[in-house]
Amino acid sequence: MIRFLPAALPGRTFGVVACIFTIAGITGAFQSYAQTTPATKQENIQPDSMNEKTVAVKYNLHTQKIITSATGTLPISTVRELPYSYLGQALDGRVSGVTVLRNSGEPGIAPSVLIRGAAVPIGSYADMFDNQPLYVVNGVPMIAGNHPYPLAIKQFDLNGIGSGIDLNTMVDMNNITGVEVLKGAEATAQYGAQAANGAILITTARPAVGKYRIGLNVYGGVAVKPTMNSGNGRNIVNGAFQRDFVMPFYNKYATAAEWVNFPSYLMDSTQQAYYGAADWDKLYFRNVIQHGVGVNISGGSERANFRFGVGERTENGVADKTSLKRYNVYYDMMMVPVEKLIINTFVQAATARRDRNRSMRERYAEQEYFPDQQLPLPPNKLYLGKYYGYLDEGIDDNAATNLQVKVTAQYELSKYLSVQSQLSADYNDNQRNLFVPAALNDGNSFNSYYTGVNRRVRVNNFLLFNKEIAKGHALGIQLGQTWQSDQMKYDYIRGYRGPSDFIKLIQVDLNPDNKIWITHDRSLVYRYKDYLKQQLVSFYGHVTYDIQKKYSATLSLRSEGSSYFANGYHWSVSPVLALNWDLKKEPWLQSSAHLNALTLKASGGRTARLPIDDYYGYGPYYTVDIGWGGNEKISSYASFPTLGMPFSKSYVGGGVNWPYTNQWDAGVALRAFDFLDAAVNVYSKTSKDLLAPIPVDASYGFSSQTVNGMDVRNSGVEASVQGTFKLSPAFKWVSSIVSQYNTSKLLKLPGNLEAINYGNRRLQVGKATDQFWLLQNEGIYGSDDEVPVSAAGKKLTYNGIALHAGDPKWKDVNNDFVIDDNDRVLQEHVIPPVRGGWNNSFQYKNWSLDMSFMYALGNHLLNGDVANRFNFVKREGVNGMDGVKELSFWSSKTNLDNYPRYNPWSKVDPYQVNQNLFLEKASYLKLQAVTLRYDLTRLPVIQQAKIRQLQVYLTGSNLFTLTPYSGYDPSLADYYGYDYGYAQPLPMTFSLGVNIDF
């Protein structure tokens, strides 16, 4: 339904036209069909008088939002008190169409959010960035806090570079009044190519008019460490467990030469380091305190009013001494200097410090150097304490800062026409300073320093026309232009073998002339830097026509030009059409007593997509690829910066076009019996002309060429049901279920190829893009005679290697008597096809209780933790990532007796993880949050003190998980569907807090 607020509002003084376009329909959280205006929705503080409420409406800036049926709304009131650091945590299970992925419960690691599936297949860590939605604060699109382009200089695809903190995805719930998730083409049309993956709109609390009022929210609580040595938790083990595990393999399969290589740390059962107390968990895990506080003050006159606030939040991790501390400040001021002119200034800033995990894998991935792996860290807290002591002699500082400034001026040219101009600036940086003492690196110390800076300047101007051109016929037109400039740069330096652990920095030279190196041998210091700049220009228009508030149509057209593309390919055009029909206003339904509202909608259109980097548009590019197999990412030779062709990566030959997304959706929303709301939305989102690497002739020297031509379709159904039940005059229960089904399918590859290897993923036309590519395990060969032989006398082999007794029975899918990649099968899904939540709110007098469940169905995981346990022969003493044994090596949860005992020394790699032997169902149901509140506002003593609101609350988070998965938490795994048991747990937390409004 399109709503046009009348120009003459009650109490109107300065003639500000309040005009918004809203198309009622499907939302993640149902709203009343008697919708309030944005100004009344955004105020969470009750005004003292009707005058204050009227003023809030008078000075509302016109919005350029087009709220549609492809929009989900987060019920802020149910999550405000929860100690969430990231917005993704609040969206999970509460808004349909949203999938939240986490690879760790560690503080400071942001979850990844997908809206209507992954438009780009996830084959590498960088691909996650290409699927993230746009974050918009008060109408201003934010520049990415973390960008994938520096990942090109890292050898291991394990994690990001720098601090890893993304302040853009962090939220201060004390300052938020609304969160909307834009999903459909007509919803994202207002932000163009930047919102091709959807957009998350965050609206902050606005200034209030009247006497000064102060708000305070403070909480404190505890995060509980996981339970050890119980039926549902980790079993902490020592060398005796590992020895008992490997001995049957040695006794059955090992030769004399293989016995010689028996792990040295398991040979002597009298040594206390490995056979003594297994109590590393007592130092590694801990119960910790969580706390946060937010204070704001607001007030002012009708001509000028403001809101100012500050906040602090500390999230301590239950594992590995991790923590995240965040501080934020914001200021919002509204002024009416002259009649018909409104000026709004909004400023917010935040800074965060992170104590990151101390895992060896992440440290080795950063330093790209592996010390001797023969002896793992013992499972004893005494040795773990010594390890922590060495780390404490080093440095690992991680910090991030951001700042956003927006100035908006709006002027009413006439009763029907207004103009608005907006200037915004966005800045963020992140830094990491790392020093690893020589004692932890076989006498080879390591230094690195990274600083990344992202900046954006944006100008947005638009005209807004709104008029009832005939009785029952209304026309709304918006014409606008946006200019945006992004600049991103980083500086990174790393060095090895410093002169002393007392010198924890890299001093390059004394002066530019003599090149005297002070701290490090210049051949062991490597410097990297990059600078990326993009200009984005947009011209857009939205036309909405409404007939009797019953039929409406919105046409949007946007043309965008980006400097990411070479000459001749700069511009794209994105058209979108949306239609709505309010059936309840039809004569044949108006008499229905039980049907309160019924709306149909349909929309379709195209949205251009921006690539995540600039080198795609400029043809052949260079990189720092001049190293060798063990260390490819070398940037300099004897301190001289160099560039080489990216032979180990794909090259771009030029002529890259804009990728784009074609999307349509159709839905119905209804309200019946005055208490039941339901909605269903069906959609199809096809990403076309995506960039993909295709194989090239080996004589080129490159591994592949990146070209346009990959098409991926995400399609599915979103459904929501909510009931409001008044069980008694004082007792009300609101229950809602949100659910989604999404499936992705690869429609096309460049050059009409049928399949390609895409990073860690296998892509095949006609198959889903998130499936595992696995050998099919059918048992074990008990003797050599059991190995099949063809009629021609050809014996079954694995990549030409003969199979013997003790080897796996892998299915020969194509019956060519060779087990190879052609026998791997794409199966199951990494991303849950079905996902949703069940949310309940109970209210009884001054008490209220919220409970939120979330569920995931149809997803699977590869239990890499078990695969690594069985694959001990290929991991023992290996000088590389496969040889690293974290502390989780000294724990076990899965029943290992359920797996066959292959010959681990076989050349066929019998315990490779990519086989269905380790594939497990990973569906789950999680009670993610409970909040109990008591409102003290009505107590006489509180009213006498003139306290507007006083509420105390108790929260619990991550309370239990039900799952068939035999490993740890199925909601924590890497983005490719592998669970190696390295993820830090999501802790159970409890907090007690108070909300006060003076």
Side-chain angles (χ1 to χ4, degrees):
M1 177 174 62
I2 298 182
R3 171 164 296 183
F4 293 86
L5 300 183
L9 295 172
R12 183 174 183 271
T13 302
F14 297 109
V16 178
V17 178
C19 164
I20 66 169
F21 302 133
T22 60
I23 303 175
I26 302 170
T27 59
F30 291 89
Q31 301 173 358
S32 169
Y33 278 80
Q35 298 180 19
T36 59
T37 66
T40 57
K41 286 170 62 178
Q42 71 194 10
E43 288 296 334
N44 64 334
I45 300 174
Q46 296 297 323
D48 276 341
S49 66
M50 182 61 67
N51 181 54
E52 291 181 357
K53 186 173 182 180
T54 303
V55 169
V57 175
K58 284 193 303 186
Y59 297 138
N60 188 35
L61 289 170
H62 299 343
T63 175
Q64 72 176 106
K65 293 190 299 181
I66 303 175
I67 303 175
T68 72
S69 51
T71 299
T73 303
L74 175 68
I76 289 293
S77 61
T78 64
V79 299
R80 189 179 302 282
E81 296 91 353
L82 296 173
Y84 291 155
S85 295
Y86 293 97
L87 186 56
Q89 296 170 278
L91 296 172
D92 205 5
R94 296 182 178 92
V95 178
S96 65
V98 175
T99 298
V100 179
L101 303 177
R102 301 196 70 171
N103 60 3
S104 178
E106 178 185 347
I109 297 181
S112 294
V113 177
L114 304 178
I115 297 177
R116 290 184 170 177
V120 178
I122 302 172
S124 67
Y125 184 75
D127 289 329
M128 288 305 303
F129 294 87
D130 209 6
N131 283 291
Q132 293 307 288
L134 176 69
Y135 287 85
V136 182
V137 178
N138 292 339
V140 179
M142 298 291 98
I143 193 170
N146 288 322
H147 197 279
Y149 77 110
L151 297 178
I153 65 176
K154 299 303 294 180
Q155 183 175 350
F156 297 99
D157 191 36
L158 254 181
N159 48 20
I161 187 171
S163 69
I165 303 171
D166 190 353
L167 285 169
N168 282 356
T169 62
M170 292 185 181
V171 293
D172 180 5
M173 285 296 181
N174 298 308
N175 190 38
I176 290 180
T177 58
V179 175
E180 294 170 315
V181 179
L182 307 186
K183 297 177 285 187
E186 78 278 22
T188 58
Q190 57 193 297
Y191 298 107
Q194 297 180 100
N197 296 318
I200 298 176
L201 273 57
I202 302 169
T203 303
T204 62
R206 309 310 303 270
V209 177
K211 296 179 180 180
Y212 292 143
R213 54 182 59 176
I214 299 175
L216 172 66
N217 179 36
V218 59
Y219 75 89
V222 61
V224 182
K225 66 181 180 181
T227 304
M228 300 292 113
N229 298 316
S230 68
N232 295 322
R234 296 173 183 253
N235 293 314
I236 306 303
V237 301
N238 64 2
F241 172 89
Q242 184 65 11
R243 182 185 176 96
D244 292 343
F245 172 74
V246 303
M247 282 302 294
F249 293 95
Y250 275 90
N251 291 330
K252 185 174 182 178
Y253 296 113
T255 65
E258 288 156 351
W259 272 102
V260 171
N261 293 320
F262 191 83
S264 59
Y265 63 93
L266 297 178
M267 286 183 177
D268 185 1
S269 61
T270 64
Q271 59 173 326
Q272 291 300 301
Y274 295 100
Y275 285 88
D279 56 0
W280 61 267
D281 59 299
K282 292 179 173 58
L283 185 58
Y284 185 83
F285 295 109
R286 57 179 183 166
N287 296 320
V288 292
I289 299 297
Q290 316 272 34
H291 59 82
V293 60
V295 182
N296 66 79
I297 181 172
S298 183
S301 68
E302 296 182 1
R303 288 281 188 174
N305 46 77
F306 76 98
R307 181 181 177 91
F308 173 77
V310 295
E312 179 273 338
R313 183 182 295 267
T314 296
E315 181 184 359
N316 291 309
V318 296
D320 214 9
K321 299 183 178 181
T322 56
S323 69
L324 176 70
K325 295 179 174 61
R326 177 171 60 89
Y327 306 89
N328 66 285
V329 59
Y330 60 88
Y331 181 73
D332 194 350
M333 182 177 66
M334 186 82 73
M335 295 190 305
V336 185
V338 297
E339 185 178 348
K340 301 182 180 181
L341 176 63
I342 301 176
I343 298 177
N344 174 239
T345 302
F346 176 76
V347 180
Q348 70 172 0
T351 184
R353 299 294 184 269
R354 174 190 176 196
D355 291 330
R356 68 192 300 151
N357 71 77
R358 303 181 174 202
S359 71
M360 289 175 282
R361 294 174 76 251
E362 288 203 11
R363 176 159 58 87
Y364 297 158
E366 170 64 20
Q367 66 185 33
E368 299 180 7
Y369 170 81
F370 293 90
D372 184 77
Q373 301 291 309
Q374 294 293 330
L375 299 177
L377 188 64
N380 188 285
K381 70 177 183 180
L382 176 64
Y383 290 90
L384 178 58
K386 292 180 179 179
Y387 173 74
Y388 280 159
Y390 286 125
L391 286 175
D392 290 339
E393 293 178 4
I395 299 173
D396 195 355
D397 294 334
N398 298 266
T401 303
N402 73 355
L403 172 67
Q404 288 95 34
V405 179
K406 181 194 73 168
V407 178
T408 303
Q410 176 181 289
Y411 188 74
E412 182 182 352
L413 299 172
S414 71
K415 183 179 179 180
Y416 309 108
L417 183 65
S418 64
V419 60
Q420 186 177 119
S421 183
Q422 182 186 89
L423 172 65
S424 62
D426 186 8
Y427 168 91
N428 64 63
D429 65 49
N430 84 87
Q431 302 175 9
R432 185 183 187 188
N433 181 19
L434 177 66
F435 172 75
V436 180
L440 290 174
N441 269 347
D442 295 342
N444 184 8
S445 65
F446 173 78
N447 296 75
S448 70
Y449 183 77
Y450 173 89
T451 178
V453 176
N454 301 328
R455 292 170 291 194
R456 168 174 291 174
V457 177
R458 184 174 185 266
V459 178
N460 183 32
N461 306 292
F462 65 87
L463 286 168
L464 194 59
F465 173 83
N466 176 55
K467 186 179 181 180
E468 187 174 6
I469 57 178
K471 186 176 181 179
H473 293 253
L475 176 66
I477 301 175
Q478 180 181 338
L479 300 175
Q481 175 270 333
T482 300
W483 170 82
Q484 179 176 292
S485 176
D486 293 348
Q487 299 179 36
M488 289 166 276
K489 63 171 291 187
Y490 70 80
D491 290 280
Y492 179 59
I493 185 170
R494 58 188 173 104
Y496 302 86
R497 203 174 300 164
S500 168
D501 282 354
F502 293 103
I503 300 176
K504 301 178 181 181
L505 53 81
I506 301 175
Q507 183 63 49
V508 177
D509 49 47
L510 184 62
N511 60 67
D513 298 325
N514 55 24
K515 299 294 183 183
I516 298 175
W517 290 67
I518 296 177
T519 61
H520 290 68
D521 185 334
R522 64 182 183 181
S523 64
L524 298 176
V525 174
Y526 307 98
R527 291 185 283 184
Y528 307 77
K529 59 176 62 231
D530 202 352
Y531 178 78
L532 185 153
K533 185 175 182 179
Q534 184 210 184
Q535 308 283 336
L536 181 66
V537 178
S538 303
F539 299 93
Y540 59 90
H542 309 296
V543 178
T544 300
Y545 194 82
D546 177 88
I547 303 176
Q548 299 176 350
K549 299 183 180 179
K550 184 192 305 185
Y551 315 105
S552 64
T554 300
L555 175 65
S556 299
L557 187 64
R558 176 181 289 265
S559 179
E560 295 178 284
S562 172
S563 61
Y564 270 179
F565 297 92
N567 291 334
Y569 303 95
H570 288 313
W571 292 93
S572 69
V573 177
S574 301
V576 176
L577 175 65
L579 304 173
N580 283 259
W581 181 14
D582 189 347
L583 277 79
K584 177 59 179 174
K585 293 183 178 179
E586 295 292 348
W588 39 275
L589 277 180
Q590 288 181 353
S591 60
S592 175
H594 302 299
L595 183 64
N596 306 110
L598 179 63
T599 303
L600 298 180
K601 80 97 186 181
S603 68
R606 169 178 294 188
T607 303
R609 298 185 59 88
L610 276 173
I612 58 175
D613 217 328
D614 64 343
Y615 58 69
Y616 295 117
Y618 294 101
Y621 66 95
Y622 294 81
T623 186
V624 293
D625 193 2
I626 64 167
W628 55 90
N631 198 340
E632 299 172 352
K633 310 301 182 182
I634 298 298
S635 64
S636 55
Y637 178 76
S639 80
F640 293 103
T642 58
L643 289 174
M645 293 296 288
F647 292 108
S648 64
K649 293 184 63 178
S650 182
Y651 79 93
V652 181
V656 172
N657 295 310
W658 279 80
Y660 57 93
T661 296
N662 289 338
Q663 187 168 189
W664 65 261
D665 55 74
V668 57
L670 64 85
R671 180 174 178 81
F673 306 105
D674 295 321
F675 73 89
L676 181 65
D677 298 275
V680 178
N681 202 41
V682 181
Y683 65 88
S684 175
K685 184 175 72 173
T686 304
S687 300
K688 300 181 71 66
D689 245 2
L690 297 173
L691 295 166
I694 61 172
V696 295
D697 191 279
S699 62
Y700 286 15
F702 295 93
S703 59
S704 58
Q705 179 186 3
T706 297
V707 296
N708 291 106
M710 180 168 64
D711 296 349
V712 175
R713 174 177 295 158
N714 282 272
S715 56
V717 180
E718 299 164 354
S720 303
V721 178
Q722 177 173 296
T724 302
F725 308 97
K726 292 185 178 180
L727 305 179
S728 73
F731 187 25
K732 183 173 71 172
W733 171 34
V734 179
S735 181
S736 67
I737 296 176
V738 297
S739 188
Q740 67 194 53
Y741 171 77
N742 183 84
T743 180
S744 65
K745 185 178 181 180
L746 181 66
L747 302 180
K748 179 186 174 184
L749 285 171
N752 293 319
L753 295 174
E754 285 297 316
I756 61 171
N757 292 329
Y758 187 83
N760 291 315
R761 185 70 60 216
R762 176 70 171 180
L763 298 181
Q764 182 175 328
V765 174
K767 297 290 187 177
T769 59
D770 66 332
Q771 292 187 301
F772 301 93
W773 194 38
L774 308 176
L775 292 173
Q776 305 301 295
N777 193 291
E778 297 180 323
I780 183 173
Y781 291 115
S783 66
D784 289 356
D785 294 336
E786 294 181 12
V787 180
V789 180
S790 70
K794 181 180 179 182
K795 197 170 185 178
L796 184 70
T797 65
Y798 173 77
N799 286 322
I801 302 172
L803 291 164
H804 298 285
D807 285 337
K809 285 184 179 180
W810 285 319
K811 185 176 181 180
D812 184 15
V813 175
N814 60 359
N815 296 314
D816 64 351
F817 284 84
V818 177
I819 302 297
D820 55 18
D821 285 347
N822 294 319
D823 297 299
R824 297 187 186 273
V825 176
L826 288 168
Q827 60 185 114
E828 308 304 346
H829 297 276
V830 175
I831 300 173
V834 179
R835 194 178 181 99
W838 179 35
N839 304 287
N840 296 273
S841 293
F842 302 90
Q843 294 181 357
Y844 180 73
K845 295 183 178 180
N846 294 334
W847 292 92
S848 64
L849 174 67
D850 295 336
M851 300 180 65
S852 178
F853 295 85
M854 65 88 56
Y855 59 86
L857 301 174
N859 55 310
H860 288 67
L861 288 176
L862 282 171
N863 197 327
D865 183 46
V866 172
N868 280 349
R869 180 74 65 180
F870 279 96
N871 208 17
F872 61 92
V873 170
K874 296 188 178 300
R875 299 186 69 227
E876 288 293 347
V878 173
N879 189 30
M881 201 61 75
D882 289 340
V884 179
K885 295 184 179 66
E886 297 285 3
L887 282 169
S888 58
F889 175 75
W890 300 112
S891 66
S892 179
K893 187 175 187 295
T894 305
N895 185 355
L896 302 178
D897 295 332
N898 295 332
Y899 295 86
R901 264 48 178 178
Y902 299 132
N903 179 2
W905 289 274
S906 172
K907 295 180 181 180
V908 303
D909 195 9
Y911 287 114
Q912 58 184 277
V913 69
N914 289 309
Q915 56 180 315
N916 66 350
L917 176 67
F918 301 112
L919 187 65
E920 297 188 34
K921 295 180 180 179
S923 301
Y924 60 89
L925 172 68
K926 187 186 291 285
L927 177 55
Q928 60 178 353
V930 174
T931 303
L932 177 65
R933 307 179 192 86
Y934 185 73
D935 193 344
L936 301 168
T937 306
R938 297 180 182 178
L939 294 179
V941 65
I942 301 300
Q943 292 182 346
Q944 291 174 6
K946 297 183 178 181
I947 296 177
R948 300 172 186 267
Q949 185 183 44
L950 177 58
Q951 185 183 76
V952 294
Y953 60 87
L954 176 67
T955 71
S957 301
N958 196 44
L959 299 179
F960 69 78
T961 302
L962 302 178
T963 179
Y965 183 56
S966 69
Y968 303 110
D969 191 338
S971 66
L972 301 177
D974 67 26
Y975 303 127
Y976 320 120
Y978 297 81
D979 176 22
Y980 290 103
Y982 300 134
Q984 292 199 7
L986 283 171
M988 183 185 301
T989 65
F990 302 93
S991 62
L992 178 66
V994 59
N995 268 317
I996 307 176
D997 178 22
F998 299 96

